[in-house]
Amino acid sequence: MHIPTALLSILLHGATQASPIQPRQQPTPSPPSPFPIHFSCNITLRHQLSSALEETVQLAQQAKSHLLLHGLESPLVQKYFGNYSTAAPIGWYDRIISAERGDMLFRCDDPDQNCATQDGWAGHWRGTNATQETVICPLSFQPGKRRHLDAVCGWGHTVTESPLNEFWAVDLLHRILHVPRISEDVVGHFADGYEGVLELAVTEPEKAGKDSEALQLFALEVWSVEVSVPGVGCLGGKAEVTQTVSTVPTPTPTPVADAAEACHTHADGVMHCE
Ligand SMILES: *[C@@H]1O[C@H](CO)[C@@H](O)[C@H](O)[C@H]1NC(C)=O
Ligand SMILES: *[C@@H]1O[C@H](CO)[C@@H](O)[C@H](O)[C@H]1NC(C)=O
Ligand SMILES: *[C@@H]1O[C@H](CO)[C@@H](O)[C@H](O)[C@H]1NC(C)=O
């Protein structure tokens, strides 16, 4: 059947010439804003720190993409976050990637004299002295102290046996999660170590998605498997723990939000006040 063009137009668009529907304005996604760095960091320290912070955002982006793409079907997601919901870890990684930085600040001077007086400290959260501020001590900048993500799985590194803060991006992920501007006083330390984190995913998965160490370990393992050694990664000698996780004794959870004054010191002297 032949329909004249004019009639076809009426059939399709209506008899009156309606004004075309204006496309709704799309929200413009805001690019990740850089983390503010204090003037006490000179030009070269600033280069080093901003490059490490950019890596931290890349690390968080890789982790978030894995969570969005694979969801709870991913064995890695199940291992670190249990079967509860991926929304929490996606949200925390996203806050690291793109939350408004506000008054949070990284500084290179030593206002609390901890770099000068505490042996081996590579940095610290200023806690009640300035809750949005993080001091990065000279040690962090020294050659060979913190490695870049291109070395993950290299030079003997494994996800479970090497210190998490061997990589500056993971160290900074941890430090950023102490800053309430990003963590909203919700992210905390509920488990300690790889075994503790796996146990938390089974026993209290609702806490795993806001556990600082789970967020660090998951991001590092995703990076190792998807970027460093694709499909293989470098989990290391504690890999067999996954099979025996249910027999691991429950660690005592460390609540953080209500202990504003308490500080803990990590193995290499990284202090975090909660
Ligand atoms: C910045 O400070 C560090 C540490 O004091 C120093 O080693 C470096 O040479 C300084 N950079 C410049 C350009 O002065
Ligand atoms: C999550 O659920 C799957 C399927 O029921 C199960 O095989 C897996 O062990 C569960 N993982 C955890 C950490 O509970
Ligand atoms: C806060 O400042 C006081 C006084 O300078 C200092 O003793 C304390 O260690 C500081 N707290 C932190 C977390 O650095």
Side-chain angles (χ1 to χ4, degrees), residues 34-37 41-58 106 108 141 148 168 172:
F35 290 98
I37 297 178
C41 305
N42 70 20
I43 182 80
T44 54
L45 298 182
R46 182 178 296 262
H47 284 322
Q48 284 185 269
L49 186 52
S50 50
S51 135
L53 286 164
E54 275 164 33
E55 281 198 2
T56 308
V57 168
Q58 287 170 22
F106 285 88
C108 302
F141 296 97
H148 290 281
W168 209 357
L172 289 171

Side-chain angles (χ1 to χ4, degrees), residues 72 77-83 198 201-202 205:
L72 292 173
V77 171
Q78 282 189 15
K79 182 167 87 166
Y80 288 103
F81 301 119
N83 281 329
L198 300 200
V202 174

Side-chain angles (χ1 to χ4, degrees), residues 8-262:
L8 186 64
S9 172
I10 289 168
L11 287 172
L12 289 175
H13 303 297
T16 53
Q17 195 65 43
S19 62
I21 296 169
Q22 295 296 324
R24 203 150 51 88
Q25 192 155 10
Q26 296 296 314
T28 33
S30 52
S33 63
F35 290 98
I37 297 178
H38 190 243
F39 64 82
S40 59
C41 305
N42 70 20
I43 182 80
T44 54
L45 298 182
R46 182 178 296 262
H47 284 322
Q48 284 185 269
L49 186 52
S50 50
S51 135
L53 286 164
E54 275 164 33
E55 281 198 2
T56 308
V57 168
Q58 287 170 22
L59 185 69
Q61 251 155 355
Q62 192 78 27
K64 179 187 147 193
S65 302
H66 183 103
L67 283 154
L68 286 172
L69 186 61
H70 304 288
L72 292 173
E73 280 158 31
S74 157
L76 276 186
V77 171
Q78 282 189 15
K79 182 167 87 166
Y80 288 103
F81 301 119
N83 281 329
Y84 183 61
S85 166
T86 55
I90 288 169
W92 295 122
Y93 290 125
D94 208 13
R95 289 195 58 74
I96 291 167
I97 296 163
S98 45
E100 181 55 43
R101 309 307 188 203
D103 52 354
M104 77 180 287
L105 188 63
F106 285 88
R107 52 196 301 163
C108 302
D109 54 357
D110 194 9
D112 301 320
Q113 288 297 298
N114 284 320
C115 304
T117 59
Q118 308 291 325
D119 200 31
W121 280 25
H124 68 96
W125 177 47
R126 295 197 66 201
T128 48
N129 286 349
T131 192
Q132 309 294 351
E133 296 191 5
T134 305
V135 173
I136 305 296
C137 296
L139 196 57
S140 284
F141 296 97
Q142 283 176 14
K145 176 67 182 172
R146 300 270 187 247
R147 302 166 78 198
H148 290 281
L149 290 176
D150 58 7
V152 167
C153 294
W155 304 99
H157 166 256
T158 70
V159 172
T160 60
E161 292 161 311
S162 307
L164 269 174
N165 63 10
E166 182 169 333
F167 292 93
W168 209 357
V170 184
D171 175 63
L172 289 171
L173 194 90
H174 185 179
R175 295 185 190 285
I176 289 166
L177 288 173
H178 273 288
V179 175
R181 170 69 61 183
I182 299 299
S183 69
E184 299 174 332
D185 288 322
V186 170
V187 177
H189 287 281
F190 305 98
D192 215 11
Y194 180 68
E195 292 91 341
V197 163
L198 300 200
E199 177 70 8
L200 188 70
V202 174
T203 56
E204 295 179 285
E206 69 283 2
K207 285 190 182 157
K210 56 177 178 173
D211 179 68
S212 173
E213 204 139 331
L215 291 164
Q216 293 169 62
L217 275 163
F218 174 77
L220 183 58
E221 191 174 353
V222 166
W223 190 274
S224 76
V225 169
E226 295 186 345
V227 180
S228 306
V229 189
V232 180
C234 51
L235 190 58
K238 292 184 186 168
E240 70 276 7
V241 171
T242 34
Q243 275 83 54
T244 57
V245 65
S246 55
T247 63
V248 175
T250 313
T252 314
T254 319
V256 292
D258 56 347
E261 306 291 338

